[in-house]
Amino acid sequence: MFRYLRPHWKTIAVGFGCALLAGAFVAAPVAILKSFGDALLDGGGNLERLQHIAWAVLWLTIGAAAAHYGQNYLLRAVGFRVVQTLRSELVQHYQKV
């Protein structure tokens, strides 16, 4: 099976990179929301800080969605190409028989 995946190793590497990036984007809002909770407990008087935190969470969510999309698209594309290669080889084998 690895001989079918080897030609697509760069795409697979980028797909796994997207997976790692998506994980980081999903984990980062936890630390930011802690800061959000601290800002609220401090009296919530610093509206600008709260706005920055809200924007950061929004952009991290958008980044996570983009990274998940990249991961799904790239790894699914590799899967389809491998299946296409297997089907092509199977048809060639049947035509020889």
Side-chain angles (χ1 to χ4, degrees):
M1 190 55 137
F2 287 116
R3 73 181 178 109
Y4 296 109
L5 294 174
R6 188 170 297 137
H8 308 289
W9 72 270
K10 291 179 184 177
T11 307
I12 293 170
V14 173
F16 279 119
C18 285
L20 293 174
L21 194 61
F25 276 133
V26 169
V30 173
I32 291 175
L33 289 176
K34 180 192 175 301
S35 177
F36 184 75
D38 291 345
L40 286 176
L41 291 176
D42 289 344
N46 191 352
L47 185 61
E48 184 177 333
R49 180 177 176 201
L50 293 175
Q51 287 176 338
H52 286 301
I53 292 169
W55 280 109
V57 170
L58 174 70
W59 284 110
L60 285 170
T61 303
I62 291 171
H68 278 294
Y69 177 79
Q71 172 195 356
N72 288 334
Y73 178 80
L74 292 171
L75 295 180
R76 190 172 291 154
V78 168
F80 285 143
R81 289 184 197 132
V82 168
V83 168
Q84 183 181 14
T85 303
L86 286 169
R87 286 180 180 170
S88 176
E89 288 182 9
L90 187 63
V91 167
Q92 288 176 358
H93 176 73
Y94 282 147
Q95 287 178 347
K96 288 180 183 177
V97 174

